[in-house]
């Protein structure tokens, strides 16, 4: 981006969340022209269908209803009668007793992909809002990976008699999740047998199931009272607003969860009604499309400048890449144009000391989304600590703005060493103050951006056949490892299997 294309301030906002797209290549007029070229004629209808929960997921033959989990089908629509809310309250008040009569002190969410990333990201980001009603300390942990890596860290610090496991799995069949749960079952046995209890007692009192497959939960032995269900039509990567968000509520409280949904609903209304030039998700989608299609930029770096957003890049990787990383359109036909970019990134201030060198002077093109929280207060600290933290906040804001400028405008010093090409487009998402509402709105904005880009590329953004194929191959390899077949593979694979 040369200084010739330095545009005037382009900024739009929604209740404490601002999108500044001044550092994109498009001028407002070009953006409007591009929108008329890239938005299909029936885009308004498709958008309305999404918001009303009747957009069609063609390859899986069902509707797409995640927006309803924050409106008409919300698990906390009536917090007084909600099963979700009553489970959270029992756990957070110390009234949920384990099989040996002791109150639950630790909760472990066991799930992967959409059954992990959204709850983990949001619990971490909004953890400081947890102070509301918790009379009894309950700590929530997250376990996802099939290698059991997180169990090594979590199991030694929790007590089998006071730990409740959430099995979070839309399908209730994901091998990664059940591999972790099988290990947990081995781990609880000594304590339970010693106390004269059985594994069935453990399942009954120490498991809550979250799934779109109630039969599988019942078959597993989970009593109906400890099952929370959601619809098959809520995609896994869009499910943190549904029952899958239980661990967000056990961490932060039901009220915070309601506020999160309220923020997302605001973004739904905004997406549905704001004109293109003021519509945050549409602007993100259109500038992203332009970068991908017209500038050939194949990646987007997510660079949050606030530690509470640490898990945002991983969350957006699944949301975007699992949705739009495809070479087949929604009619099942091969396509020959580029689709969703590679999403990557990391916590900005640490990224500065790791990969920013490449961003400033490396060969490759990229685009970036900087995410900044403008104000943060720490009333729990003394005045002098608060002042020091405020200075740190200024330092972080200054660094974010500085690196963003250098990436956009570059710099030419006296030598090759002092040359920074610039020309890298970026968005700046500024959150005045992090609240459950602004966080919910931000995540919903990304969901709608992904939806709109999927529509423009004529994709079905709601399936993931590539991942399913990988899982099938893994089963073949595992069978061979366990001696069930004698299928042979390529030499490199064979070397490991025989090693
Ligand atoms: O990665 C494939 C996938 O199906 C994701 O779409 C999903 O979020 C994840 O696996 C976990 O699936 P489940 O919630 O059914 O265990």
């Amino acid at each position: 981006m040369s200084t010739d294309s330095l545009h005037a301030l382009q900024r739009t906002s929604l209740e404490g969340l601002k999108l500044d797209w001044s550092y994109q290549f498009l001028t407002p007029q070009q953006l409007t022209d591009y929108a008329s070229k890239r938005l299909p004629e029936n885009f308004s209808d498709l958008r309305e269908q999404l918001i009303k929960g009747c957009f069609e997921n063609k390859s899986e033959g069902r509707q797409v209803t995640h927006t309803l989990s924050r409106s008409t089908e919300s698990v906390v629509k009536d917090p007084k009668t909600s099963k979700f809310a009553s489970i959270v309250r029992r756990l957070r008040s110390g009234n949920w007793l384990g099989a040996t009569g002791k109150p639950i002190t630790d909760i472990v969410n066991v799930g992967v992909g959409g059954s992990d990333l959204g709850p983990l990201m949001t619990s971490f980001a909004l953890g400081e809002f947890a102070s509301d009603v918790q009379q009894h300390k309950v700590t929530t942990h997250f376990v996802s990976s099939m290698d059991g890596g997180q169990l090594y860290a979590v199991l030694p610090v929790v007590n089998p008699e006071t730990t409740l496991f959430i099995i979070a799995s839309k399908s209730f069949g994901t091998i990664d999740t059940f591999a972790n749960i099988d290990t947990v079952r081995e781990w609880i046995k000594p304590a339970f047998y010693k106390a004269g209890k059985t594994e069935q007692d453990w399942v009954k009192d120490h498991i809550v199931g979250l799934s779109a497959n109630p039969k599988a939960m019942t078959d597993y032995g989970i009593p109906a009272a400890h099952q929370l269900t959601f619809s098959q039509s809520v995609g896994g990567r869009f499910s943190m607003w549904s029952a899958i968000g239980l661990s967000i509520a056990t961490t932060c409280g039901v009220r915070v969860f309601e506020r999160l949904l309220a923020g997302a609903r605001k973004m739904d209304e905004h997406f549905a009604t704001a004109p293109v030039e003021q519509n945050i998700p549409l602007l993100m989608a259109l500038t992203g499309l332009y970068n991908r299609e017209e500038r050939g930029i194949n990646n987007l770096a997510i660079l949050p400048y606030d530690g509470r957003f640490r898990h945002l890049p991983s969350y957006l990787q699944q949301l975007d890449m699992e949705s739009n990383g495809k070479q087949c359109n929604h009619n099942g036909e091969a396509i020959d144009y580029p689709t969703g970019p590679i999403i990557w990134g990391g916590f900005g201030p640490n990224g500065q000391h790791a990969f920013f060198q490449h961003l400033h002077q490396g060969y490759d093109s990229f685009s970036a989304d900087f995410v900044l929280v403008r104000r943060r207060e720490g009333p729990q600290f003394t005045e002098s600590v608060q002042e020091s933290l405020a200075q740190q906040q200024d330092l972080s804001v200054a660094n974010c703005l500085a690196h963003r400028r250098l990436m956009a405008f570059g710099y030419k010093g006296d030598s090759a060493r002092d040359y920074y090409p610039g020309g890298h487009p970026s968005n700046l998402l500024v959150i005045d103050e992090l609240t459950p509402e602004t966080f919910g709105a931000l995540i919903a904005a990304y969901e709608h951006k992904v939806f709109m880009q999927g529509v423009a590329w004529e994709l079905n953004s709601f399936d993931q056949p590539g991942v399913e194929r990988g899982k099938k191959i893994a089963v073949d390899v595992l069978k061979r490892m366990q001696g069930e077949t004698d299928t042979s593979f390529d030499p490199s694979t064979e070397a490991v299997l025989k090693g």
Side-chain angles (χ1 to χ4, degrees), residues 248-276:
I248 301 173
T250 60
T251 308
C252 308
V254 171
R255 181 67 198 124
V256 169
F257 192 74
E258 285 179 276
R259 291 175 60 193
L260 174 79
L261 301 195
R265 268 197 311 275
K266 276 265 178 284
M267 184 53 73
D268 293 344
E269 284 157 30
H270 168 86
F271 178 54
T273 54
V276 176

Side-chain angles (χ1 to χ4, degrees), residues 208-367:
V208 170
L210 314 177
S211 181
N213 185 350
K215 181 177 178 307
M217 290 196 279
T218 304
D219 292 348
Y220 196 79
I222 303 175
H226 299 171
Q227 297 179 11
L228 290 169
T229 54
F230 60 102
S231 167
Q232 285 289 355
S233 52
V234 173
R237 52 192 170 273
F238 299 87
S239 66
M240 65 174 237
W241 325 96
S242 72
I244 287 291
L246 184 71
S247 51
I248 301 173
T250 60
T251 308
C252 308
V254 171
R255 181 67 198 124
V256 169
F257 192 74
E258 285 179 276
R259 291 175 60 193
L260 174 79
L261 301 195
R265 268 197 311 275
K266 276 265 178 284
M267 184 53 73
D268 293 344
E269 284 157 30
H270 168 86
F271 178 54
T273 54
V276 176
E277 328 60 70
Q278 287 160 31
N279 193 308
I280 294 173
L282 274 183
L283 287 165
M284 289 164 74
L286 286 162
T287 51
L289 275 176
Y290 177 86
N291 291 336
R292 185 75 173 116
E293 294 181 342
E294 308 296 329
R295 300 283 175 152
I297 300 174
N298 74 350
N299 72 95
L300 170 69
I302 307 294
L303 304 173
Y305 267 72
D306 187 302
R308 292 169 294 182
F309 288 74
R310 188 177 285 272
H311 299 291
L312 181 68
S314 316
Y315 175 82
L316 293 180
Q317 276 179 330
Q318 189 200 13
L319 180 67
D320 202 322
M321 295 173 82
E322 209 173 56
S323 298
N324 288 344
K326 291 173 184 160
Q327 293 189 41
C328 166
N329 70 13
H330 53 60
N331 293 322
E333 297 151 353
I335 53 177
D336 60 359
Y337 45 83
T339 54
I342 292 166
I343 308 291
W344 66 286
F347 178 41
N350 289 354
Q352 287 182 197
H353 301 278
F355 52 81
F356 273 37
Q357 167 59 35
H358 186 110
L359 299 187
H360 290 311
Q361 290 191 303
Y363 183 77
D364 302 294
S365 303
F366 65 91
S367 58

Side-chain angles (χ1 to χ4, degrees), residues 112-115 169-171 174 236-237 318 322 464 467-468 471:
V112 70
S115 300
S169 175
K170 180 180 168 185
S171 58
T174 300
R237 52 192 170 273
Q318 189 200 13
E322 209 173 56
Q464 55 284 329
V467 188
E468 310 307 337
K471 285 184 196 169

Side-chain angles (χ1 to χ4, degrees), residues 301-306 344-361 370-372 392-407:
I302 307 294
L303 304 173
Y305 267 72
D306 187 302
W344 66 286
F347 178 41
N350 289 354
Q352 287 182 197
H353 301 278
F355 52 81
F356 273 37
Q357 167 59 35
H358 186 110
L359 299 187
H360 290 311
Q361 290 191 303
F370 290 86
V371 183
L372 196 59
Q392 286 195 261
Q393 178 72 4
D394 287 352
L395 184 66
S396 171
V397 171
N399 270 275
C400 173
L401 297 177
H403 284 277
R404 173 175 168 261
R405 278 180 56 79
L406 185 57
M407 286 173 200

